[in-house]
Amino acid sequence: MLNKKDLLGIKELSVEEINLILDTAAGFKEVLGRDIKKVPTLRGKTAVNLFFEPSTRTRTSFELAAKRLSTDVINFSVPTSSVVKGESLIDTALTVQALGADFIIIRHSSAGVPHLLAKKLRASVINAGDGMNEHPTQALLDSFTIREKKGRIEGLCVAIVGDIIHSRVAKSNIYSLTKLGAKIRLIGPPTLIPREMEGMGVEVFHNIEDGLKQVDVVMMLRIQMERQGKGFFPSTEEYFKNWGLTPERLSLAKDDAIVMHPGPMNRGIEITSEIADGPKSVILEQVTNGLAVRMAVMYLLAGVRE
Amino acid sequence: MKILIKDGHIIDPSQDIDDIGDILIVDGKIKEIRVKSREQKTESRDFKLRDTNSELRTINAEGFLVIPGLIDMHVHLREPGYEHKETIKTGTKAAIRGGFTTVCCMSNTYPVNDNASVTEYIIRKAALEGLCTVLPIGAITKGQKGEELVEMGTMKEQGCIAFSDDGLPVMNSLIMRRALEYSRAFDLPIISHCEDLTLSDDGVMNDGLLSMTLGLKGIPAEAEQIMVFRDILLTELTHGRLHICHVSTEGSVNLIREAKKRGVNVTAETCPHYFILTEDAIRDYDTNVKVNPPLRTKKDIDAIKEGLRDGTIDVIATDHAPHNRDEKLMEFDLAPSGISGLETALPLSLMLVDEGILSIKKLVEKMSSNPAKILTLTSKGGLRPGNDADITIIDLNKEFRVEAEKFLSKGKNTPFDGWKMKGIPVVTISKERIYKW
């Protein structure tokens, strides 16, 4: 069992804990392949999706993961909550807890919000993305996918391409893959990968051709349109020209390289359709694996609470 | 009323006194000071107290330090407008507890102290309810908008002792030039919170690997240094008087040191948190360590200490910024910046003495004599006969644990809660009253 009440980030996890989650997820993936895709493991529990940022895929994935474990789920998102009436974050969270929540799955635009709630709540807090900090379940499902496809993580070379500085997905993946023994290359314009990032134990490439050479995994990140015009890059056209993933560039990676993307994709901006829909893409498998990983996280955290 | 402080260890840099002695106070003014080494052979140290009609109170200060009352050039008293955070009454109570007998309150109240009537309100309220002397700092520009200068002359008449748009720096260099020029007519300093807002861009902590690791938006040291350099250059251009607030970076210390060498009329302050804490304190997203400028790194701390040691930094101020508990119990990005600093500044600064960076005399300079000099407070910052009887008596050996909940300030927001400290005021004398603990 995880020796924790909450899942706040990969930073806070040990290698053993990461492996435990991945191993447990493998078991749940088997359940998802059955005709009846539901187990009674967490019957009677309540999970609340407390989302202060719009999200479809992560929220749906958590919702379905909870349902597969027979846990009741409520979705609590900002436009319909009392947050718009000026209620404080803590009051909102305490209210949700008072409704009987065992799990509070939180997404928020400010880093550190899950940490604040974890201190104030009895319920298990699961970070579903906090500002530019972490998105731990995404990194766990990515590691799960890599391990499944490659049989291992240790010794692999993983390139993460795109808007690293603003990406909680990139941060969590850097922590998890580094802990699991992979080598990481970050690829993108210097405005999106400040030089301090080398302090995270990664290699930085501003030229995508150099960066993709002989890598085992190419992990693309979504380029957020609002960064354009804020000085991070002048136009999406120029971005694609310099850092977009094309078949020619992908051919520099190992022959058996896989291509990942946390979604939602901007086809034609960071990735061509040819690759997204091609044989090296594992993008849809990532989505399926996300369910298994989130089931494992809830299951393991519930164990601590018993 | 007469007060006799007996046998204390008197330190007064303004008269170069560092000796055991007695101080006689009559009707709120220092009447006489007698120290051991300057005793006449024919005369004993005893004062001849002929006037027997007047009540005499004797304070035995044996074993304690007796210094001119501390002067804090940089506090936020929040009144008018934000009385839920602090009032003149509670803020000055906290000041007295911390050993401060004079505090200079920043202009970012509501309404902003940008005209003589707000200044008058603060002065009157302080006369009624203030336990220590309160000297208002006016805004540089109307509404702190950085566009139009305030009526500096009129506000000086009403009691303003300096001008600052603290927190909302004057971004327009032409307006800053005019402020430094125009204020010369009234011989008052411009106090500058140096921050290039376009570069800090809503950042919430020091920019670097840690900000990236925590996913918080960073403010580079350069955001401060660019403005420090701009304001130094404008001071050279205008021959104005510049005082730089809360220096937080190594680069700022270097720029100020070089400017002073060139003879620029610039002074500078820092705050205890900038020489005690690094950005590492933020790891847990504790909003009590969110300050502006943000906490920096070890090398900045070292440079600030060196700046204090070699005189580049003239003043230790608190930037006392009380906030309501609920306001700090928030998302790190949204929580307001600031530390409630009046009640911990002295023991924190005494750590510099323990470390051998400052002598006690130097510390008294930075917390009393120098602020008085910069603000031309002729009757404060020293124990000369005729001066206001603003006196702080300190027990240097007393150890205690900080309990934020027991602060007299309304603001319990401190990262030092639970810290063990040494050295605390046992008596503060201000406005003809004796406060004892």
Side-chain angles (χ1 to χ4, degrees):
Chain A
M1 286 293 130
L2 274 178
N3 192 20
K4 295 187 155 53
K5 173 173 85 76
D6 315 289
L7 177 68
L8 301 178
I10 304 291
K11 271 198 290 283
E12 288 84 358
L13 293 181
S14 66
V15 176
E16 292 71 32
E17 287 170 324
I18 295 173
N19 280 323
L20 175 63
I21 296 170
L22 300 185
D23 294 343
T24 311
F28 282 117
K29 187 162 182 188
E30 184 267 316
V31 172
L32 294 172
R34 293 180 197 163
D35 265 359
I36 297 167
K37 304 179 177 58
K38 194 161 179 168
V39 288
T41 319
L42 296 182
R43 198 168 54 197
K45 301 278 181 199
T46 305
V48 177
N49 274 323
L50 184 56
F51 275 53
F52 291 85
E53 259 188 358
S55 155
T56 314
R57 53 190 61 219
T58 304
R59 187 178 53 73
T60 310
S61 179
F62 269 111
E63 188 174 345
L64 207 51
K67 286 180 171 165
R68 295 280 185 253
L69 291 166
S70 305
T71 293
D72 297 321
V73 196
I74 305 162
N75 289 313
F76 192 102
S77 51
V78 175
T80 54
S81 80
S82 51
V83 170
V84 285
K85 296 177 194 160
E87 189 179 46
S88 82
L89 169 72
I90 297 287
D91 286 337
T92 305
L94 286 172
T95 303
V96 167
Q97 175 171 271
L99 288 169
D102 299 287
F103 300 99
I104 293 184
I105 298 151
I106 173 113
R107 169 167 287 193
H108 198 288
S109 58
S110 281
V113 163
H115 307 68
L116 177 62
L117 295 190
K119 267 184 268 179
K120 297 284 166 193
L121 300 177
R122 286 187 319 276
S124 282
V125 174
I126 299 175
N127 184 357
D130 63 326
M132 300 184 290
N133 182 38
E134 285 218 44
H135 189 353
T137 54
Q138 177 70 42
L140 290 166
L141 76 88
D142 288 340
S143 287
F144 184 87
T145 307
I146 295 171
R147 204 173 76 162
E148 201 178 49
K149 289 283 156 190
K150 295 281 172 192
R152 67 191 167 105
I153 287 178
E154 199 171 354
L156 294 181
C157 187
V158 181
I160 308 178
V161 188
D163 182 357
I164 312 285
I165 184 174
H166 299 105
S167 171
R168 51 197 175 210
V169 174
K171 309 273 179 62
S172 284
N173 265 306
I174 292 170
Y175 302 133
S176 60
L177 294 170
T178 311
K179 285 183 182 186
L180 295 173
K183 276 195 299 205
I184 306 218
R185 297 179 177 182
L186 303 180
I187 304 172
T191 43
L192 297 176
I193 313 178
R195 55 184 182 83
E196 292 93 340
M197 280 219 137
E198 289 187 355
M200 293 178 136
V202 297
E203 264 189 290
V204 174
F205 293 83
H206 301 307
N207 177 305
I208 189 167
E209 278 86 13
D210 292 345
L212 287 180
K213 266 176 206 149
Q214 291 300 307
V215 298
D216 298 285
V217 178
V218 183
M219 193 180 278
M220 301 305 295
L221 297 174
R222 172 183 167 74
I223 282 296
Q224 287 169 328
M225 299 303 180
E226 61 265 28
R227 307 287 175 219
Q228 184 187 211
K230 283 217 159 179
F232 291 103
F233 54 89
S235 68
T236 48
E237 291 76 15
E238 171 146 319
Y239 183 87
F240 182 72
K241 227 167 106 185
N242 287 280
W243 294 283
L245 188 63
T246 59
E248 300 74 50
R249 285 172 176 160
L250 183 57
S251 70
L252 297 167
K254 282 194 183 150
D255 289 342
D256 63 347
I258 56 169
V259 175
M260 308 175 78
H261 195 300
M265 280 184 284
N266 296 304
R267 290 171 186 254
I269 291 170
E270 71 254 357
I271 191 166
T272 62
S273 287
E274 205 179 337
I275 295 173
D277 305 330
K280 294 186 172 182
S281 164
V282 298
I283 294 169
L284 292 175
E285 283 165 82
Q286 286 174 268
V287 177
T288 312
N289 291 339
L291 271 179
V293 162
R294 290 178 177 120
M295 287 170 79
V297 166
M298 292 171 79
Y299 169 75
L300 291 169
L301 292 178
V304 181
R305 294 172 44 80
E306 291 311 309
Chain B
M1 186 177 71
K2 290 182 179 176
I3 305 167
L4 178 62
I5 303 169
K6 279 189 72 69
D7 300 323
H9 179 176
I10 302 171
I11 292 187
D12 178 12
S14 76
Q15 304 178 80
D16 201 23
I17 293 175
D18 181 352
D19 204 348
I20 305 292
D22 304 338
I23 297 172
L24 179 65
I25 296 165
V26 178
D27 297 332
K29 299 280 176 193
I30 291 171
K31 179 77 178 168
E32 214 178 333
I33 178 166
R34 292 192 180 183
V35 294
K36 240 181 177 173
S37 60
R38 297 182 191 174
E39 263 171 48
Q40 305 288 326
K41 279 196 176 136
T42 51
E43 211 178 350
S44 80
R45 208 145 38 86
D46 292 338
F47 293 101
K48 293 182 181 67
L49 300 163
R50 287 193 200 96
D51 177 8
T52 46
N53 297 329
S54 184
E55 181 200 352
L56 174 75
R57 296 185 59 181
T58 305
I59 297 168
N60 178 11
E62 199 182 339
F64 296 146
L65 204 61
V66 179
I67 62 170
L70 304 178
I71 300 174
D72 191 346
M73 284 185 72
H74 192 154
V75 304
H76 298 270
L77 293 181
R78 306 296 191 205
E79 189 174 356
Y82 304 105
E83 287 84 355
H84 66 291
K85 294 177 192 268
E86 191 82 290
T87 62
I88 287 169
K89 192 172 181 177
T90 56
T92 54
K93 262 190 193 173
I96 290 287
R97 185 67 194 96
F100 293 91
T101 53
T102 301
V103 294
C104 306
C105 57
M106 276 295 175
S107 62
N108 60 343
T109 47
Y110 185 78
V112 173
N113 183 13
D114 63 0
N115 63 76
S117 62
V118 177
T119 310
E120 186 186 2
Y121 174 86
I122 295 168
I123 295 272
R124 285 190 181 207
K125 200 78 195 286
L128 284 173
E129 298 181 353
L131 278 72
C132 69
T133 304
V134 174
L135 302 173
I137 297 170
I140 297 173
T141 62
K142 290 178 185 161
Q144 291 181 296
K145 289 201 172 85
E147 292 161 3
E148 253 182 286
L149 293 188
V150 300
E151 294 174 341
M152 292 186 181
T154 318
M155 289 172 72
K156 179 183 180 178
E157 267 172 45
Q158 201 57 250
C160 280
I161 43 84
F163 298 97
S164 179
D165 277 1
D166 183 39
L168 287 170
V170 180
M171 289 296 290
N172 183 321
S173 301
L174 179 62
I175 300 293
M176 194 59 171
R177 173 196 177 157
R178 296 287 182 243
L180 284 159
E181 260 168 352
Y182 186 71
S183 58
R184 287 178 55 208
F186 310 103
D187 197 28
L188 292 186
I190 296 292
I191 300 181
S192 178
H193 164 123
C194 293
E195 179 184 0
D196 181 340
L197 294 173
T198 61
L199 187 54
S200 56
D201 190 29
D202 298 324
V204 295
M205 69 170 287
N206 185 43
D207 189 51
L209 182 57
L210 186 63
S211 68
M212 241 170 290
T213 311
L214 294 175
L216 294 171
K217 211 165 163 187
I219 303 174
E222 286 72 12
E224 175 173 316
Q225 288 149 206
I226 285 170
M227 288 311 233
V228 166
F229 197 34
R230 180 200 74 170
D231 289 348
I232 285 171
L233 293 176
L234 290 176
T235 305
E236 278 182 288
L237 175 69
T238 57
H239 292 257
R241 276 178 64 194
L242 173 67
H243 177 76
I244 293 170
C245 279
H246 43 50
V247 169
S248 77
T249 80
E250 179 188 26
S252 298
V253 177
N254 291 339
L255 287 165
I256 296 162
R257 183 180 292 122
E258 284 157 26
K260 284 187 163 185
K261 267 189 204 150
R262 292 200 301 278
V264 184
N265 199 351
V266 57
T267 53
E269 80 191 23
T270 191
C271 313
H273 41 273
Y274 297 119
F275 56 76
I276 304 243
L277 298 174
T278 67
E279 58 176 0
D280 278 313
I282 300 172
R283 279 192 189 280
D284 204 20
Y285 300 97
D286 180 1
T287 55
N288 281 327
V289 292
K290 184 177 175 188
V291 278
N292 188 15
L295 300 176
R296 307 284 185 181
T297 63
K298 175 73 168 54
K299 87 175 166 47
D300 297 296
I301 287 191
D302 292 343
I304 286 167
K305 285 179 177 172
E306 179 52 25
L308 283 163
R309 200 194 57 75
D310 73 7
T312 301
I313 299 175
D314 310 86
V315 170
I316 297 173
T318 64
D319 193 3
H320 177 72
H323 289 292
N324 174 273
R325 178 182 160 275
D326 294 336
E327 293 166 329
K328 277 284 193 181
L329 191 58
M330 237 199 254
E331 295 88 325
F332 196 90
D333 286 335
L334 302 181
S337 296
I339 289 174
S340 178
L342 281 167
E343 289 165 80
T344 51
L346 178 66
L348 288 171
S349 302
L350 281 168
M351 291 179 184
L352 296 174
V353 176
D354 262 4
E355 257 185 82
I357 288 157
L358 295 178
S359 62
I360 290 200
K361 196 171 138 193
K362 282 278 174 202
L363 185 70
V364 175
E365 269 181 38
K366 300 206 190 277
M367 297 184 82
S368 184
S369 330
N370 288 350
K373 233 182 272 173
I374 291 164
L375 299 169
T376 355
L377 310 176
T378 47
S379 66
K380 295 186 184 294
L383 302 171
R384 292 176 301 280
N387 273 13
D388 295 338
D390 291 349
I391 293 178
T392 304
I393 303 178
I394 300 161
D395 182 351
L396 282 179
N397 297 315
K398 177 144 187 199
E399 293 188 2
F400 69 102
R401 199 172 282 281
V402 178
E403 288 176 87
E405 278 311 309
K406 292 190 179 162
F407 274 2
L408 299 178
S409 164
K410 282 193 182 182
K412 318 295 182 195
N413 49 305
T414 174
F416 302 109
D417 192 25
W419 279 42
K420 234 178 105 182
M421 296 187 187
K422 203 170 132 186
I424 193 170
V426 286
V427 175
T428 306
I429 303 175
S430 172
K431 291 171 86 173
E432 296 194 55
R433 295 195 64 156
I434 303 169
Y435 302 90
K436 261 182 144 170
W437 298 278

mmCIF file of all heavy atoms in Angstrom, chain B residues 23-46:
data_model
loop_
_atom_site.group_PDB
_atom_site.id
_atom_site.type_symbol
_atom_site.label_atom_id
_atom_site.label_comp_id
_atom_site.label_asym_id
_atom_site.label_seq_id
_atom_site.Cartn_x
_atom_site.Cartn_y
_atom_site.Cartn_z
ATOM 1 N N ILE B 23 20.607 57.920 32.519
ATOM 2 C CA ILE B 23 19.957 58.927 31.679
ATOM 3 C C ILE B 23 18.808 59.532 32.471
ATOM 4 O O ILE B 23 18.000 58.809 33.055
ATOM 5 C CB ILE B 23 19.403 58.305 30.386
ATOM 6 C CG1 ILE B 23 20.537 57.721 29.535
ATOM 7 C CG2 ILE B 23 18.630 59.345 29.565
ATOM 8 C CD1 ILE B 23 20.057 56.928 28.341
ATOM 9 N N LEU B 24 18.743 60.852 32.457
ATOM 10 C CA LEU B 24 17.634 61.531 33.120
ATOM 11 C C LEU B 24 16.716 62.133 32.067
ATOM 12 O O LEU B 24 17.151 62.820 31.147
ATOM 13 C CB LEU B 24 18.171 62.644 34.037
ATOM 14 C CG LEU B 24 17.085 63.453 34.767
ATOM 15 C CD1 LEU B 24 16.322 62.580 35.756
ATOM 16 C CD2 LEU B 24 17.705 64.657 35.479
ATOM 17 N N ILE B 25 15.441 61.817 32.232
ATOM 18 C CA ILE B 25 14.437 62.306 31.292
ATOM 19 C C ILE B 25 13.505 63.238 32.056
ATOM 20 O O ILE B 25 13.041 62.902 33.148
ATOM 21 C CB ILE B 25 13.617 61.131 30.726
ATOM 22 C CG1 ILE B 25 14.526 60.198 29.921
ATOM 23 C CG2 ILE B 25 12.455 61.620 29.879
ATOM 24 C CD1 ILE B 25 13.901 58.852 29.640
ATOM 25 N N VAL B 26 13.251 64.396 31.494
ATOM 26 C CA VAL B 26 12.305 65.312 32.114
ATOM 27 C C VAL B 26 11.287 65.756 31.075
ATOM 28 O O VAL B 26 11.649 66.246 30.005
ATOM 29 C CB VAL B 26 13.026 66.548 32.701
ATOM 30 C CG1 VAL B 26 12.007 67.517 33.291
ATOM 31 C CG2 VAL B 26 14.039 66.126 33.770
ATOM 32 N N ASP B 27 10.030 65.506 31.382
ATOM 33 C CA ASP B 27 8.916 65.912 30.519
ATOM 34 C C ASP B 27 9.102 65.485 29.059
ATOM 35 O O ASP B 27 8.940 66.272 28.130
ATOM 36 C CB ASP B 27 8.707 67.429 30.591
ATOM 37 C CG ASP B 27 8.309 67.866 31.994
ATOM 38 O OD1 ASP B 27 7.702 67.025 32.707
ATOM 39 O OD2 ASP B 27 8.626 68.999 32.385
ATOM 40 N N GLY B 28 9.462 64.224 28.883
ATOM 41 C CA GLY B 28 9.516 63.687 27.524
ATOM 42 C C GLY B 28 10.752 64.048 26.733
ATOM 43 O O GLY B 28 10.849 63.707 25.553
ATOM 44 N N LYS B 29 11.690 64.751 27.380
ATOM 45 C CA LYS B 29 12.940 65.082 26.673
ATOM 46 C C LYS B 29 14.119 64.529 27.470
ATOM 47 O O LYS B 29 14.042 64.407 28.700
ATOM 48 C CB LYS B 29 13.126 66.603 26.556
ATOM 49 C CG LYS B 29 12.025 67.307 25.789
ATOM 50 C CD LYS B 29 12.227 67.152 24.294
ATOM 51 C CE LYS B 29 11.053 67.780 23.544
ATOM 52 N NZ LYS B 29 11.023 67.403 22.129
ATOM 53 N N ILE B 30 15.175 64.222 26.756
ATOM 54 C CA ILE B 30 16.374 63.793 27.455
ATOM 55 C C ILE B 30 17.024 65.020 28.074
ATOM 56 O O ILE B 30 17.284 66.010 27.393
ATOM 57 C CB ILE B 30 17.331 63.067 26.498
ATOM 58 C CG1 ILE B 30 16.689 61.733 26.128
ATOM 59 C CG2 ILE B 30 18.700 62.848 27.139
ATOM 60 C CD1 ILE B 30 17.370 60.989 25.048
ATOM 61 N N LYS B 31 17.220 64.943 29.392
ATOM 62 C CA LYS B 31 17.759 66.098 30.102
ATOM 63 C C LYS B 31 19.281 65.988 30.207
ATOM 64 O O LYS B 31 20.001 66.927 29.909
ATOM 65 C CB LYS B 31 17.128 66.146 31.509
ATOM 66 C CG LYS B 31 17.602 67.288 32.373
ATOM 67 C CD LYS B 31 16.938 68.585 31.954
ATOM 68 C CE LYS B 31 17.378 69.721 32.866
ATOM 69 N NZ LYS B 31 16.967 71.022 32.298
ATOM 70 N N GLU B 32 19.693 64.801 30.607
ATOM 71 C CA GLU B 32 21.115 64.654 30.855
ATOM 72 C C GLU B 32 21.522 63.199 30.727
ATOM 73 O O GLU B 32 20.729 62.295 31.000
ATOM 74 C CB GLU B 32 21.428 65.129 32.280
ATOM 75 C CG GLU B 32 22.772 65.779 32.391
ATOM 76 C CD GLU B 32 23.033 66.280 33.800
ATOM 77 O OE1 GLU B 32 22.062 66.588 34.512
ATOM 78 O OE2 GLU B 32 24.216 66.324 34.170
ATOM 79 N N ILE B 33 22.749 62.995 30.315
ATOM 80 C CA ILE B 33 23.260 61.639 30.220
ATOM 81 C C ILE B 33 24.635 61.625 30.860
ATOM 82 O O ILE B 33 25.462 62.493 30.611
ATOM 83 C CB ILE B 33 23.260 61.170 28.745
ATOM 84 C CG1 ILE B 33 23.837 59.773 28.587
ATOM 85 C CG2 ILE B 33 24.004 62.125 27.847
ATOM 86 C CD1 ILE B 33 23.522 59.180 27.200
ATOM 87 N N ARG B 34 24.863 60.664 31.755
ATOM 88 C CA ARG B 34 26.166 60.591 32.433
ATOM 89 C C ARG B 34 26.711 59.188 32.315
ATOM 90 O O ARG B 34 26.039 58.218 32.666
ATOM 91 C CB ARG B 34 26.016 60.926 33.922
ATOM 92 C CG ARG B 34 25.647 62.371 34.118
ATOM 93 C CD ARG B 34 25.796 62.749 35.552
ATOM 94 N NE ARG B 34 25.425 64.150 35.726
ATOM 95 C CZ ARG B 34 25.508 64.781 36.876
ATOM 96 N NH1 ARG B 34 25.935 64.135 37.958
ATOM 97 N NH2 ARG B 34 25.161 66.043 36.961
ATOM 98 N N VAL B 35 27.915 59.092 31.814
ATOM 99 C CA VAL B 35 28.506 57.767 31.670
ATOM 100 C C VAL B 35 29.788 57.673 32.483
ATOM 101 O O VAL B 35 30.432 58.673 32.761
ATOM 102 C CB VAL B 35 28.780 57.422 30.193
ATOM 103 C CG1 VAL B 35 27.476 57.297 29.437
ATOM 104 C CG2 VAL B 35 29.679 58.455 29.543
ATOM 105 N N LYS B 36 30.120 56.429 32.838
ATOM 106 C CA LYS B 36 31.230 56.132 33.740
ATOM 107 C C LYS B 36 32.538 56.807 33.317
ATOM 108 O O LYS B 36 33.163 57.511 34.082
ATOM 109 C CB LYS B 36 31.444 54.613 33.762
ATOM 110 C CG LYS B 36 31.287 54.012 35.125
ATOM 111 C CD LYS B 36 31.538 52.508 35.004
ATOM 112 C CE LYS B 36 31.455 51.851 36.364
ATOM 113 N NZ LYS B 36 31.543 50.386 36.218
ATOM 114 N N SER B 37 32.930 56.579 32.071
ATOM 115 C CA SER B 37 34.265 57.005 31.657
ATOM 116 C C SER B 37 34.399 58.525 31.606
ATOM 117 O O SER B 37 35.494 59.046 31.616
ATOM 118 C CB SER B 37 34.589 56.416 30.288
ATOM 119 O OG SER B 37 33.622 56.871 29.360
ATOM 120 N N ARG B 38 33.281 59.207 31.540
ATOM 121 C CA ARG B 38 33.365 60.665 31.459
ATOM 122 C C ARG B 38 33.053 61.337 32.805
ATOM 123 O O ARG B 38 32.789 62.532 32.877
ATOM 124 C CB ARG B 38 32.401 61.184 30.376
ATOM 125 C CG ARG B 38 32.781 60.654 28.995
ATOM 126 C CD ARG B 38 31.886 61.172 27.912
ATOM 127 N NE ARG B 38 32.145 60.430 26.670
ATOM 128 C CZ ARG B 38 31.450 60.563 25.563
ATOM 129 N NH1 ARG B 38 30.435 61.419 25.523
ATOM 130 N NH2 ARG B 38 31.732 59.866 24.498
ATOM 131 N N GLU B 39 33.015 60.530 33.865
ATOM 132 C CA GLU B 39 32.733 61.090 35.187
ATOM 133 C C GLU B 39 33.813 62.076 35.618
ATOM 134 O O GLU B 39 35.003 61.827 35.422
ATOM 135 C CB GLU B 39 32.725 59.962 36.231
ATOM 136 C CG GLU B 39 31.354 59.457 36.550
ATOM 137 C CD GLU B 39 31.452 58.213 37.414
ATOM 138 O OE1 GLU B 39 32.210 58.241 38.415
ATOM 139 O OE2 GLU B 39 30.776 57.232 37.090
ATOM 140 N N GLN B 40 33.382 63.161 36.198
ATOM 141 C CA GLN B 40 34.341 64.086 36.806
ATOM 142 C C GLN B 40 34.752 63.491 38.158
ATOM 143 O O GLN B 40 33.943 62.867 38.825
ATOM 144 C CB GLN B 40 33.680 65.452 37.048
ATOM 145 C CG GLN B 40 33.067 66.058 35.811
ATOM 146 C CD GLN B 40 34.100 66.541 34.835
ATOM 147 O OE1 GLN B 40 35.160 67.012 35.242
ATOM 148 N NE2 GLN B 40 33.823 66.411 33.549
ATOM 149 N N LYS B 41 36.002 63.696 38.513
ATOM 150 C CA LYS B 41 36.459 63.123 39.771
ATOM 151 C C LYS B 41 35.731 63.728 40.967
ATOM 152 O O LYS B 41 35.429 63.061 41.939
ATOM 153 C CB LYS B 41 37.964 63.320 39.928
ATOM 154 C CG LYS B 41 38.711 62.255 39.152
ATOM 155 C CD LYS B 41 40.152 62.155 39.556
ATOM 156 C CE LYS B 41 40.813 61.012 38.817
ATOM 157 N NZ LYS B 41 42.117 61.352 38.291
ATOM 158 N N THR B 42 35.449 64.999 40.855
ATOM 159 C CA THR B 42 34.826 65.700 41.968
ATOM 160 C C THR B 42 33.327 65.399 42.072
ATOM 161 O O THR B 42 32.730 65.623 43.102
ATOM 162 C CB THR B 42 34.978 67.208 41.801
ATOM 163 O OG1 THR B 42 34.530 67.535 40.487
ATOM 164 C CG2 THR B 42 36.429 67.621 41.978
ATOM 165 N N GLU B 43 32.773 64.921 40.980
ATOM 166 C CA GLU B 43 31.321 64.786 40.941
ATOM 167 C C GLU B 43 30.963 63.307 40.842
ATOM 168 O O GLU B 43 31.590 62.563 40.097
ATOM 169 C CB GLU B 43 30.820 65.486 39.674
ATOM 170 C CG GLU B 43 29.451 66.076 39.789
ATOM 171 C CD GLU B 43 29.101 66.788 38.482
ATOM 172 O OE1 GLU B 43 29.981 66.964 37.624
ATOM 173 O OE2 GLU B 43 27.941 67.130 38.322
ATOM 174 N N SER B 44 29.973 62.891 41.528
ATOM 175 C CA SER B 44 29.549 61.511 41.380
ATOM 176 C C SER B 44 28.581 61.454 40.204
ATOM 177 O O SER B 44 28.204 62.466 39.645
ATOM 178 C CB SER B 44 28.854 61.034 42.643
ATOM 179 O OG SER B 44 27.526 61.501 42.637
ATOM 180 N N ARG B 45 28.176 60.202 39.834
ATOM 181 C CA ARG B 45 27.282 60.046 38.702
ATOM 182 C C ARG B 45 25.829 60.401 39.094
ATOM 183 O O ARG B 45 24.949 60.457 38.262
ATOM 184 C CB ARG B 45 27.367 58.605 38.183
ATOM 185 C CG ARG B 45 27.056 58.478 36.756
ATOM 186 C CD ARG B 45 27.886 57.388 36.064
ATOM 187 N NE ARG B 45 28.112 56.194 36.858
ATOM 188 C CZ ARG B 45 27.257 55.170 36.913
ATOM 189 N NH1 ARG B 45 26.124 55.205 36.279
ATOM 190 N NH2 ARG B 45 27.553 54.116 37.613
ATOM 191 N N ASP B 46 25.612 60.624 40.411
ATOM 192 C CA ASP B 46 24.235 60.898 40.841
ATOM 193 C C ASP B 46 23.753 62.240 40.338
ATOM 194 O O ASP B 46 24.456 63.240 40.388
ATOM 195 C CB ASP B 46 24.161 60.897 42.377
ATOM 196 C CG ASP B 46 24.395 59.509 42.920
ATOM 197 O OD1 ASP B 46 24.181 58.541 42.145
ATOM 198 O OD2 ASP B 46 24.812 59.393 44.089
#
